[in-house]
Amino acid sequence: MVVLAASMMSKSGKVLVSRQFVDMTRGRIEGLLAAFPKLVGTGKQHTYVETQDVRYVYQPIEALYLLIITNKQSNILEDLDTLRLLSKLVPEYSPSLDEEGVCTAVFDLVTAFDEAISLGNKENVTVAQVKQYCEMESNEEKLHKLVMQSKVNETKDHMRQRVTEIEKSKIDRGKSEKAFGPMRSPNNIDMNTRGSGPGAGPIFGDIHKTKEQPLASSPAHSKLAGGMKLGKGQKTNQFLESLKAEGEVILEDTQPSAVQSRLSSVPQSDPITVKIEEKLNVTIKRDGGVNNFDIQGTLALQVLNDTNGFIQLQIENQDVTGLSFKTHPNINKELFNSQQIVGAKDPNRPFPTGQNETPLVKWRIQELNEASLPLAVNCWPSVSGNETYVNIEYEASDMFDLHNVVISIPLPALRAAPSVRQIDGEWKYDSRNSVLEWSVILIDESNRSGSMEFAVPAADPSSFFPISVGFSAPSTFSDLKVTAVHPLREGYRCSSVEGR
């Protein structure tokens, strides 16, 4: 069998993409393709037509024809097997089985055809293998990334060296100031020490949902009088900006200063930290209704040293339908079930200590319905002429205030960013993944509902699904909270704690 060419054409005879595998003149291949519409029949799914010189083996795919041209000596069964492989590759790379979809993916289709047929002979490959071969990384791309990363590392090393020189000059200047008497520092920073009030215990501080963030000086105090200036700072900033413009992720190091050296002595964590977290995972049908509504929560404890580990936690929660708890094997289950106290089975053993959090209680909430959703999103795509207009709206319930809401809408392959006509919030187009991200920083009483409208070239409405939604909230469905911390050793002072 020798495949002369493989082509995609409309039923009107317009050639959309063609790939030849043997040496033929352009006039020859154009003549063969122009003769095909006059020879093709109707009413068949798999068929072929023979002329005096060649054989046409073709298959209708919606409004298109997938066609291979072979010599008359080829085996018809092998021809059909080749046609079957190509018919599976077309939907993998074309976003839609019409003229526009094929023209959009023309280069991908040509590459896939080359992997399936070599020098006119069918390769023994599957669809998965063809996709794997087409997605291989090139050595040139890896080399380019290595070169760019080395430039970034060189810039960071240069910046660190300059910072070290500045710090050394500051230390030398401080020694000279001490020799001539104390001088007033140009920065006035109030250091607030946690737990210094009369109501705070020496061991148990406030219980937080998340770890405390490191302190930072305000912008008004960031400029030091008489400080040194970097001679090549402007060039370095221009270089970093050029890297960012090319899509590289630049992680800028924070420059150490005298203020940060003073803050280094302040503890970064409380002696005891409790983290309460719930994760919501919901799958909603396109036309309404819920396929999956699962809520999983965790109460985790972090204790810095053994002396603080001899404690019990008193908790309380809302009575929610479908709520079930599971405790760690080393937790006293009878005490938890009867009094909702999280304590160890052996009171003489402290909770684990260190910088890692230890999960103590897990829970799950099921049997919830669509009415319990904190946020609902509706998408209405409609085709009008050569454009598809997409209207999306969200409706948030009054149960929670939602933070950092991101609604990601998949898009068909586009040559340019979509045209956003109206939006409540901000948007960003990820061209690499062909995704439009609609973001709202905060949803509260002032904006429980919002909408967005954008337009793209005509596309299949199903290409805008599935839509993914992510957000965070300061409260939880179970409303679980730690109300008090009970010490198990005498001489320990502890204040009751409210919050999540």
Side-chain angles (χ1 to χ4, degrees), residues 270-449:
D270 291 322
I272 296 175
T273 304
V274 174
K275 180 179 179 181
I276 298 174
E277 182 181 41
E278 276 188 0
K279 293 183 179 180
L280 171 65
N281 186 9
V282 182
T283 303
I284 305 174
K285 300 178 183 178
R286 177 176 172 181
D287 299 327
V290 178
N291 272 344
N292 176 43
F293 199 135
D294 187 27
I295 300 175
Q296 297 184 10
T298 305
L299 184 149
L301 174 67
Q302 178 187 0
V303 182
L304 293 186
N305 51 67
D306 291 339
T307 58
N308 301 326
F310 296 95
I311 59 172
Q312 292 180 342
L313 305 178
Q314 178 69 60
I315 67 171
E316 67 177 28
N317 62 275
Q318 295 287 344
D319 187 10
V320 181
T321 303
L323 175 63
S324 59
F325 286 96
K326 287 185 178 180
T327 58
H328 192 277
N330 292 333
I331 296 298
N332 190 331
K333 292 182 174 58
E334 296 181 359
L335 184 64
F336 178 82
N337 294 331
S338 60
Q339 304 181 36
Q340 283 196 312
I341 294 179
V342 181
K345 284 184 178 180
D346 185 359
N348 294 321
R349 291 180 57 187
F351 283 114
T353 60
Q355 295 295 330
N356 296 326
E357 299 170 350
T358 303
L360 301 181
V361 181
K362 295 184 179 181
W363 61 92
R364 192 172 185 178
I365 303 177
Q366 295 178 316
E367 303 179 8
L368 297 180
N369 53 30
E370 192 173 2
S372 302
L373 288 174
L375 184 68
V377 178
N378 296 316
C379 180
W380 302 87
S382 59
V383 181
S384 177
N386 295 328
E387 289 187 318
T388 298
Y389 295 90
V390 182
N391 291 273
I392 299 180
E393 61 179 0
Y394 72 80
E395 295 182 2
S397 67
D398 55 0
M399 294 186 297
F400 305 105
D401 289 343
L402 306 180
H403 298 262
N404 301 323
V405 181
V406 178
I407 303 173
S408 301
I409 306 102
L411 302 179
L414 302 177
R415 297 181 179 179
S419 175
V420 178
R421 309 293 176 85
Q422 181 270 330
I423 186 171
D424 295 328
E426 299 179 354
W427 67 277
K428 181 180 70 173
Y429 174 57
D430 184 358
S431 58
R432 179 172 298 180
N433 299 316
S434 192
V435 173
L436 177 62
E437 294 184 353
W438 176 18
S439 59
V440 183
I441 297 177
L442 173 64
I443 297 180
D444 55 10
E445 294 296 337
S446 63
N447 58 343
R448 291 296 182 191
S449 62

Side-chain angles (χ1 to χ4, degrees), residues 111-125:
T111 304
F113 287 174
D114 286 343
E115 296 293 341
I117 303 174
S118 176
L119 300 177
N121 299 314
K122 176 182 176 296
E123 295 287 343
N124 187 19
V125 293

Side-chain angles (χ1 to χ4, degrees), residues 25-322:
T25 63
R26 180 175 178 177
R28 173 64 173 163
I29 188 65
E30 288 180 349
L32 293 175
L33 294 176
F36 171 72
K38 303 175 183 178
L39 302 174
V40 67
T42 59
K44 297 181 180 180
Q45 291 298 319
H46 291 278
T47 184
Y48 68 94
V49 175
E50 290 186 354
T51 65
Q52 183 177 358
D53 300 322
V54 297
R55 174 187 297 151
Y56 298 91
V57 184
Y58 62 94
Q59 175 183 344
I61 301 179
E62 295 189 3
L64 308 175
Y65 280 120
L66 174 62
L67 167 69
I68 61 174
I69 305 175
T70 68
N71 55 10
K72 295 183 63 175
Q73 291 75 26
S74 65
N75 190 324
I76 186 64
L77 296 179
E78 294 181 1
D79 295 344
L80 293 176
D81 187 49
T82 304
L83 185 67
R84 189 179 301 110
L85 175 61
L86 298 183
S87 66
K88 293 180 181 178
L89 290 175
V90 172
E92 292 290 337
Y93 292 96
S94 178
S96 59
L97 298 177
D98 53 17
E99 292 187 19
E100 183 178 357
V102 172
C103 291
T104 303
V106 58
F107 293 105
D108 294 333
L109 289 174
V110 169
T111 304
F113 287 174
D114 286 343
E115 296 293 341
I117 303 174
S118 176
L119 300 177
N121 299 314
K122 176 182 176 296
E123 295 287 343
N124 187 19
V125 293
T126 62
V127 175
Q129 289 175 331
V130 171
K131 292 182 65 177
Q132 182 181 3
Y133 297 155
C134 293
E135 294 173 359
M136 286 292 184
E137 295 182 354
S138 64
N139 293 329
E140 290 79 3
E141 181 183 4
K142 292 181 179 179
L143 180 60
H144 173 73
K145 290 182 178 180
L146 290 176
V147 171
M148 297 303 296
Q149 187 62 39
S150 64
K151 292 181 180 179
V152 173
N153 294 335
E154 290 177 1
T155 304
K156 289 183 177 181
D157 293 339
H158 176 72
M159 294 172 63
R160 293 191 187 98
Q161 182 179 3
R162 297 296 297 168
V163 168
T164 303
E165 295 176 0
I166 294 175
E167 289 298 318
K168 185 178 180 180
S169 66
K170 289 180 180 179
I171 295 175
D172 295 339
R173 186 175 59 187
K175 292 180 179 180
S176 62
E177 289 175 355
K178 289 181 179 180
F180 293 97
M183 297 182 65
R184 186 172 179 265
S185 172
N187 290 334
N188 298 323
I189 299 178
D190 295 330
M191 304 296 293
N192 296 323
T193 304
R194 181 175 297 275
S196 59
I203 296 177
F204 303 102
D206 296 337
I207 293 183
H208 299 277
K209 182 178 180 181
T210 57
K211 294 183 178 179
E212 181 182 355
Q213 299 296 323
L215 299 176
S217 60
S218 63
H221 297 147
S222 61
K223 184 177 181 181
L224 298 178
M228 296 181 64
K229 296 182 180 179
L230 296 179
K232 299 182 180 179
Q234 185 177 2
K235 295 183 179 179
T236 303
N237 293 336
Q238 291 177 353
F239 176 70
L240 293 178
E241 291 297 330
S242 64
L243 292 183
K244 292 179 181 179
E246 295 177 2
E248 296 291 336
V249 178
I250 306 300
L251 301 177
E252 298 181 356
D253 293 340
T254 303
Q255 297 182 357
S257 63
V259 175
Q260 291 180 342
S261 62
R262 291 173 59 188
L263 296 179
S264 60
S265 60
V266 180
Q268 297 297 327
S269 299
D270 291 322
I272 296 175
T273 304
V274 174
K275 180 179 179 181
I276 298 174
E277 182 181 41
E278 276 188 0
K279 293 183 179 180
L280 171 65
N281 186 9
V282 182
T283 303
I284 305 174
K285 300 178 183 178
R286 177 176 172 181
D287 299 327
V290 178
N291 272 344
N292 176 43
F293 199 135
D294 187 27
I295 300 175
Q296 297 184 10
T298 305
L299 184 149
L301 174 67
Q302 178 187 0
V303 182
L304 293 186
N305 51 67
D306 291 339
T307 58
N308 301 326
F310 296 95
I311 59 172
Q312 292 180 342
L313 305 178
Q314 178 69 60
I315 67 171
E316 67 177 28
N317 62 275
Q318 295 287 344
D319 187 10
V320 181
T321 303

